[in-house]
Structure formats: C-alpha cells, structure tokens
C-alpha cells in the first residue's frame, strides 16, 4: 500500500476504536532511540525514516513533528503523502501536545499504543488534555491491524561480554545498584532500557542495528534478579553464568504478569522516562517513579573502559587514514558514488581487530547533501562525488573494546573564501569547547554557547545540539550528559562529570550548497588549574583538515592547540602505518601558522 492507503486504512481502524486522533512515536516499548524493524510504526505510516520524529493522525489531517536535523529529509520523504511537516522549535520538545489539545474539541479521545509511551509522557499529555476533558485511550496493537506482513520481533542471540573489556563483573554492578536501591528504600527496581540491561549484566546481542543490545526487561530485587527474555536467545553457558550471579530467566512476554503479582506492601522503583504506561494499570505494588539508577553510573567510565577507549581511537584513526588516503587518490581518477564511499569506509574499519560493525549508518554528504544533517545516501538517489567541492563524512565503529564517532569535512579542489570562513568558525567553536575549564556542576546548556559564539558573532548558527554522551560498546548516543541549547533534554540539564565521554560537534549548513561539521570525542577529566574544576581531553585521533582554514581568523592559542593535537595524532597513528599512508598522515599533520 502507498502511504495514503495506509493512512486511510488506519483511519478506519481509529474509527472502529472510537478515537479522534492517534499519536505514533518513533520508539519501541523500551524508549530506544533506534529501533528494530518490528517497531518502525511511524516510518510505516509516514514514509519518514529519520530517527527522531512523531506522527499525529486525525480523521482529516496528519502531521509529523521533527527537528531541524531532519527538515530537508522530511520535506522530501513526506512529499505526496498528504502529511504536513511541523517544524519543532526545540529538539525533542513535545510541541505536538499543545497543538493537538488546541486542535481537538472538548471531550475528544486520543488513542495511543500504551506500550510505546512512558508514564512520564502520558502524565504530560494528561496534564494538557485535562483542560478540555480530552480522554486518553489505550489502543494497543492498532497498528498491527493495518500493517500487513509486519516484521517479527528481533531474534539475535545474546552473548557474555568479557570483563576484560568492561572492567567490572555483573556481580559488582548488581551490588552497586542494590546499594542505591537501599538508599531509596525500595525492594524492587524494574529496568526497561536495553543498554542499561546490557551494561548491568555484561551481555550483548544485535537486536537493534548498530547497537549491541538484547530485547529484554530486568527486575532487580534485594536478593535476586529476573531477566525477561525469550529463552532461545540465551545459550546454555550464558544461562549458567547468569544463574551463578543470581539472575533467573522468564519469558519476555511474561513481564506484565510478573509485575502485577508483586504484593501491595512492596515498593518498586522505575525510571519514569522509559517505564511503559501499559504496565501501570495492573500494578499492586507501590510505584516509585524517578530517574534511572543505572544511567549516571554507566556514564562514568571506569579505568579499564577509558584505557580501551584510548586504544580503540588509535585503531579507528588507522582505518580512517587508509580510507581518506584511498578516497583522495581515487577521486582524482574517477567519480565516486556516496554509497561506494560509505561501503569503502565500512570495509577499512572491518579490517581492524575486534570490529563488530558501525555505530550508526555512515553519513556521506557531498555538496548540498552535506547540509542535510542526518543524511543517508541511497544507491538510486545518491550524489556523485567529483574532484571538486565539499564532502562531509560522519561515521563511527562498534568494537569489542569501545565505540567511536567522528566527523570530518574536506574539500576537493580549491575552497572558496566563504567556505573557508564558515569552516574556520566551526573549528574555532570546536576548539573553544575542547579547551574549556569549568566548575564542577556545570551543565551542558552552559557550555553549549562556547561552540556557537564564533558563528553567532557572524550571524550564523546550527540547529542541532553540540554533543552527546557515548557508550562503551553500547549506544553511540548515551545519556545523560552532552551539550544542547536548552534544558528540555538531559544533554542540556545534566552536569558534566569526570570519566564521561561526550562528542563535540559544532557545524554549519548552507542549504543547497554544503555542510560543515567537525567532531571529536572528549573525555571529561579533572582540571589541572583548580581541583574544583573540570576540563576535556580529546581522545579521537585523526587529522582535522587544514586546507579549509582561514588562518587570519584563528588566534595564536587556537593554532597552538591544533598543532599540538596533530602532533599527538601523528605520534599515535604513525607507528602502525608505512609507505604512502604514513606520508599522507605526515602531510595532514603538518603545523600551520608557523613561519
């Protein structure tokens, strides 16, 4: 069926359920950012493939909300569907709620599939709906009535993730979590976040593309823990190890029943941001809603993880050296499709030890495609790269010993003065954030301005956050910390802490022309200038393009930082290179602005 036909069939189902509007989010029952094919409901009914965005369907109108990273993509993918794009002013803000409540008449009914909404999301929705007596109705599986040949649930097999890499046993982690439970005076802690379960139990799988997690829930009690997972997904040896750690198994679909039989005298703690609304009505136990116990613990990497993070950056830098050397040589002789470049990048990473896949689909944006922030090249529609113009490449790898995420922008041929100005302003922002020293307790929204101030002074800006947390062989976008323009998200409101790893990725995008982004990962460390301050250490190791820099716009301090960074890069990568790749790296790491 076409998108219009799917929406028509969906409206028939909505009418039979007695709902005036249906909200379709992009997440799964675990509030995952990226989801398995089975839960790409919003994509099925809209055609929009971006990772962030929400669809609202009414009897005579359909609207999709997404943020500026996806405006160009959404306009293209929604064309001809009859769906109207509503441009979010603030990334991840629930701006659809106010619009929907203003649009619907009094005592209307909004349908939701309860499993796809957290108790926090429903509470926010109800707070607005109550003003007009609008009813929220659970219409679980309404999408399945319309979605023909819906993909099955993911079925990859879980495996034990060796403590050699992650540095802490599942027994130690469970003890740490139980200590926090004791502080909160709760008997049970229910965990929905797939990455949190994977971290806590030291297990991995590939139930979501690019993210090594397994479809499951976990109930941690004072003396035992229960993992809700389909039995065949856990090999016997892993079952034995989990049992030895006090973890028993129950079926994934038995989780609702298990929660409902917890006695009323017990207390159960949940993360209000990912505990499914579908579980709440049947609970007898006293429900304590808060924020994740695991998230802030997981965000601070231990010494083993930090050591591996540093070594994996060397491997990733070597792979990228092979790749960019190949790219620059090849484009001199023939044109290249964006998809061929993406495939070649994956190939060079795959040659590195312990590589398990990309941490997200590579973004290879040539010229105007680089201005589409989360662009993804498709074989039939991608651009052809010639030996002239700007190219933005944002990519990352999943290795057993760490996760990487890096963006570099290059130019074939001679860049224009305007391109060099824009690139230099972005670079200055990257360096300003990288070199900041700040008091403990400083949040992401306070630091975000450092990356933007040089662009702002030129009347320019970019429409996405400046950075996100990064997991260790887990989610490439890991909460809570990061850098954002508002406190709507955790990235803006969370304080930076020593041991966390975050991306630093300011950019500039000229619609219809080119995109620029420069991204390194940074480890938050104690500041050497004051024991009550923190700072950052750049752990990504790969040259930043210097041919695009207008040195007249750079300060002596910025030039010195860049030259020192390139010395580090060459010292780290060159011992593993030889011949033309080593010469290529030497050339890219030459000092600039030095007479």
């Amino acid at each position: 069926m076409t998108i219009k036909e799917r929406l028509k069939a969906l409206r028939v189902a909505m009418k039979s359920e007695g709902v005036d509007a249906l909200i379709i989010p992009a997440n799964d029952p675990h509030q995952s950012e990226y989801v398995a094919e089975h839960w790409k409901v919003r994509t099925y009914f809209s055609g929009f493939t971006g990772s962030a965005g929400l669809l609202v369907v009414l009897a005579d109108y359909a609207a999709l909300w997404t943020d500026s990273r996806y405006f160009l993509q959404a306009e293209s993918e929604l064309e001809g569907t009859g769906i109207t794009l509503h441009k979010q002013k603030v990334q991840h803000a629930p701006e659809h709620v106010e619009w929907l409540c203003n649009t619907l008449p009094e005592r209307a009914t909004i349908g939701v599939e309860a499993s796809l909404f957290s108790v926090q999301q429903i509470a926010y929705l109800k707070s607005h709906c109550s003003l007009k007596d609008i009813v929220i109705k659970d219409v679980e599986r309404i999408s399945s009535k319309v979605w023909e040949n819906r993909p099955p649930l993911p079925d990859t097999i879980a495996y034990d993730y060796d403590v050699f890499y992650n540095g802490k046993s599942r027994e130690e982690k469970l003890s740490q979590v139980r200590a926090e439970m004791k502080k909160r005076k709760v008997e049970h802690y229910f965990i929905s976040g797939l990455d949190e379960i994977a971290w806590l139990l030291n297990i991995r799988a590939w139930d979501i593309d690019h993210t090594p997690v397994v479809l499951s829930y976990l109930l941690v009690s004072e003396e035992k823990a229960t993992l809700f997972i389909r039995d065949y997904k856990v090999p016997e040896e892993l079952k034995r190890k989990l049992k030895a750690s006090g973890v028993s198994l129950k079926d994934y679909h038995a989780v609702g029943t298990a929660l409902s039989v917890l006695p009323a005298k017990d207390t159960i703690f949940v993360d209000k941001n990912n505990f499914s609304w579908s579980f709440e009505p049947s609970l007898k136990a006293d429900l304590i809603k808060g924020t994740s116990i695991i998230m802030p613990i997981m965000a601070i990497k231990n010494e083993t993880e930090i050591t591996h993070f540093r070594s994996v950056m060397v491997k990733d830098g070597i792979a990228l050296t092979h790749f960019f050397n190949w790219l620059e040589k090849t484009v001199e002789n023939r044109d290249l499709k964006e998809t061929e470049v993406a495939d070649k990048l994956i190939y060079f990473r795959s040659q590195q030890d312990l590589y398990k896949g990309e941490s997200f689909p590579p973004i290879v944006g040539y010229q105007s495609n680089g201005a589409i922030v989360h662009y993804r090249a498709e074989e039939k529609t991608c651009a052809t790269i010639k030996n002239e113009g700007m190219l933005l490449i944002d990519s990352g790898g999943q290795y057993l010993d760490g996760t990487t995420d890096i963006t570099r922008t290059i130019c074939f041929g001679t860049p224009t003065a305007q391109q060099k100005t824009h690139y230099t302003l972005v670079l200055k922002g990257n360096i300003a954030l990288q070199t900041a020293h700040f008091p403990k307790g400083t949040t992401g929204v306070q630091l975000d301005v450092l990356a933007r101030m040089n662009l702002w002074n030129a009347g320019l800006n970019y429409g996405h956050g400046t950075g996100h947390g990064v997991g260790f062989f887990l989610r490439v976008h890991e909460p809570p910390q990061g850098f954002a323009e508002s406190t709507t998200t955790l990235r803006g409101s969370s304080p930076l802490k020593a041991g966390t790893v975050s991306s630093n990725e300011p950019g500039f995008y000229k619609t219809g022309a080119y995109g620029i982004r420069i991204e390194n990962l940074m480890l938050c460390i104690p500041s050497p200038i004051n024991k009550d301050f923190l700072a950052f250490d750049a752990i990504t190791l790969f040259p930043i393009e210097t041919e695009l820099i207008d040195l007249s716009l750079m300060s002596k301090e910025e030039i010195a930082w860049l030259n020192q960074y390139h010395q580090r890069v060459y010292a780290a990568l060159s011992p593993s290179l030889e011949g033309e790749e080593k010469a290529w790296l030497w050339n890219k790491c030459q000092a600039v602005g030095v007479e």
Side-chain angles (χ1 to χ4, degrees):
M1 294 190 290
T2 65
I3 297 299
K4 285 185 175 181
E5 289 170 335
R6 292 172 185 176
L7 289 173
K8 183 179 179 180
L10 183 61
R11 287 179 171 120
V12 171
M14 289 167 56
K15 189 173 182 180
S16 70
E17 292 280 0
V19 298
D20 303 294
L22 183 68
I23 304 176
I24 304 176
N27 51 267
D28 61 15
H30 306 267
Q31 295 295 313
S32 305
E33 177 186 15
Y34 298 115
V35 301
E37 293 296 325
H38 178 81
W39 280 296
K40 293 184 178 179
V41 183
R42 187 221 57 206
T43 297
Y44 180 80
F45 287 107
S46 69
F48 174 62
T49 60
S51 64
L54 178 144
L55 179 66
V56 175
V57 181
L58 288 76
D60 56 357
Y61 188 81
L64 184 130
W65 275 260
T66 192
D67 61 70
S68 61
R69 295 172 297 168
Y70 298 102
F71 287 168
L72 296 178
Q73 178 182 340
E75 287 170 356
S76 173
E77 293 181 338
L78 295 179
E79 187 175 356
T81 65
I83 300 171
T84 301
L85 172 62
H86 286 234
K87 297 180 177 181
Q88 281 180 308
K89 297 180 179 66
V90 178
Q91 190 173 325
H92 301 299
E95 296 170 7
H96 63 284
V97 171
E98 184 176 354
W99 176 90
L100 183 55
C101 290
N102 288 337
T103 301
L104 290 174
E106 290 188 0
R107 292 180 291 280
T109 300
I110 296 174
V112 299
E113 295 194 77
S115 65
L116 301 180
F117 289 79
S118 71
V119 290
Q120 178 73 359
Q121 290 167 335
I122 294 297
Y124 183 84
L125 181 59
K126 284 182 175 180
S127 70
H128 283 70
C129 289
S130 62
L131 301 175
K132 295 176 70 173
D133 294 324
I134 294 172
V135 176
I136 313 299
K137 181 180 179 181
D138 178 12
V139 288
E140 188 69 28
R141 302 202 63 76
I142 189 174
S143 56
S144 291
K145 295 178 181 178
V146 180
W147 190 347
E148 299 176 353
N149 302 314
R150 184 171 182 172
L153 291 173
D155 61 356
T156 64
I157 305 302
Y159 58 93
D160 190 41
Y161 184 44
D162 201 310
V163 71
F164 170 80
Y165 299 112
N166 60 66
K168 189 180 289 187
S169 70
R170 61 178 65 92
E171 291 86 357
E172 291 176 284
K173 293 177 180 179
L174 283 165
S175 293
Q176 192 172 3
V177 166
R178 287 186 172 116
E180 291 297 319
M181 290 169 58
K182 190 173 182 179
K183 290 179 184 177
R184 288 169 167 80
K185 299 179 180 179
V186 294
E187 285 89 9
H188 311 282
Y189 174 31
F190 182 71
I191 306 160
S192 300
L194 300 182
D195 59 326
E196 296 181 359
I197 296 169
W199 176 87
L200 181 59
L201 297 184
N202 286 345
I203 58 175
R204 299 291 191 270
W206 294 99
D207 278 351
I208 295 178
D209 289 345
H210 314 294
T211 309
V213 295
V214 61
L215 190 63
S216 55
Y217 292 100
L218 182 65
L219 181 64
V220 179
S221 302
E222 293 171 304
E223 301 294 335
K224 62 180 182 177
T226 305
L227 178 64
F228 297 90
I229 186 171
R230 285 179 291 173
D231 185 76
Y232 74 89
K233 295 172 68 69
V234 186
E236 290 302 319
E237 177 64 14
L238 180 54
K239 285 180 184 177
R240 186 189 64 77
K241 290 181 178 180
L242 289 170
K243 184 178 180 180
S245 302
V247 181
S248 60
L249 270 57
K250 284 190 178 180
D251 187 73
Y252 176 75
H253 296 291
V255 63
T257 301
L259 292 177
S260 69
V261 299
L262 291 174
K265 64 179 179 62
D266 284 7
T267 51
I268 178 170
F269 181 85
V270 301
D271 183 346
K272 61 186 178 182
N273 294 307
N274 64 24
F275 181 68
S276 173
W277 186 47
S278 63
F279 297 135
E280 189 173 31
S282 62
L283 278 179
K284 300 185 191 74
D286 184 16
L287 185 63
I288 309 298
K289 303 171 188 175
T291 55
S292 171
I293 291 174
I294 293 173
M295 185 193 301
I297 301 173
M298 183 170 65
I300 298 175
K301 311 311 175 194
N302 60 49
E303 288 303 318
T304 299
E305 290 171 321
I306 290 171
T307 298
H308 284 305
F309 250 127
R310 292 189 183 281
S311 65
V312 83
M313 295 301 169
V314 176
K315 288 194 295 188
D316 211 53
I318 291 166
L320 289 167
T321 300
H322 291 305
F323 165 73
F324 274 97
N325 178 62
W326 167 85
L327 174 63
E328 292 184 3
K329 282 195 311 179
T330 305
V331 81
E332 289 179 357
N333 299 310
R334 64 179 177 90
D335 295 345
L336 291 163
K337 279 191 169 186
E338 290 170 329
T339 49
E340 181 185 355
V341 171
D343 290 343
K344 200 70 174 181
L345 174 55
I346 293 170
Y347 165 77
F348 281 117
R349 273 209 179 95
S350 73
Q351 302 306 295
Q352 295 300 311
D353 189 35
L354 306 181
Y355 172 83
K356 295 298 178 181
E358 295 298 279
S359 56
F360 57 94
I363 298 170
V364 179
Y366 179 61
Q367 296 286 66
S368 61
N369 287 340
I372 304 173
V373 179
H374 276 197
Y375 171 73
R376 185 173 181 179
E378 301 288 348
E379 182 68 27
K380 293 181 180 179
T381 58
C382 71
T384 298
I385 301 169
K386 301 181 181 298
N387 194 25
E388 59 181 6
M390 300 275 280
L391 177 65
L392 183 156
I393 299 179
D394 185 351
S395 68
Q398 289 282 17
Y399 303 83
L400 276 179
D401 49 351
T403 299
T404 69
D405 184 2
I406 177 174
T407 309
R408 291 294 185 262
T409 305
I410 62 174
C411 184
F412 301 115
T414 304
T416 66
Q418 184 184 61
Q419 287 171 335
K420 293 181 72 170
T421 295
H422 290 159
Y423 182 90
T424 307
L425 294 177
V426 171
L427 176 59
K428 286 168 71 69
N430 181 285
I431 296 173
L433 180 56
Q434 173 65 66
T435 56
H437 293 255
F438 49 93
K440 291 177 180 178
T442 300
T443 62
V445 74
Q446 293 173 284
L447 294 176
D448 183 84
V449 65
L450 298 176
R452 299 178 191 270
M453 60 184 181
N454 290 284
L455 286 163
W456 283 358
N457 288 337
L460 305 172
N461 198 12
Y462 51 93
H464 57 78
T466 300
H468 54 83
V470 178
F472 184 81
F473 191 46
L474 276 173
R475 290 169 59 184
V476 71
H477 299 150
E478 181 182 87
Q481 84 288 342
F483 313 100
E485 281 188 288
S486 80
T487 55
T488 301
T489 65
L490 287 171
R491 293 178 190 174
S493 60
S494 299
L496 279 297
K497 294 185 177 181
T500 56
V501 174
S502 306
S503 70
N504 171 6
E505 47 184 312
F508 175 74
Y509 310 93
K510 186 175 181 181
T511 301
Y514 53 83
I516 298 165
R517 189 159 64 250
I518 303 169
E519 176 187 15
N520 276 357
L521 299 190
M522 310 184 300
L523 174 68
C524 188
I525 59 174
S527 169
I529 65 172
N530 187 321
K531 65 180 178 61
D532 295 320
F533 275 53
L534 297 171
F536 296 116
D537 179 23
I539 58 174
T540 297
L541 295 167
F542 190 72
I544 294 170
E545 180 58 67
T546 56
E547 293 296 319
L548 277 163
I549 299 174
D550 181 345
L551 289 173
S552 69
L553 300 177
M554 298 276 284
S555 69
K556 290 181 180 179
E557 292 78 11
E558 290 165 340
I559 291 172
W561 180 89
L562 183 63
N563 289 337
Q564 289 168 5
Y565 173 71
H566 280 152
Q567 287 177 4
R568 283 182 56 203
V569 169
Y570 187 78
L573 304 187
S574 60
S576 301
L577 298 168
E578 54 187 27
E580 65 179 48
E581 273 103 358
K582 191 170 186 177
W584 181 92
L585 183 68
W586 170 258
N587 182 58
K588 293 295 181 179
C589 291
Q590 288 300 296
V592 297
V594 178
E595 295 181 2

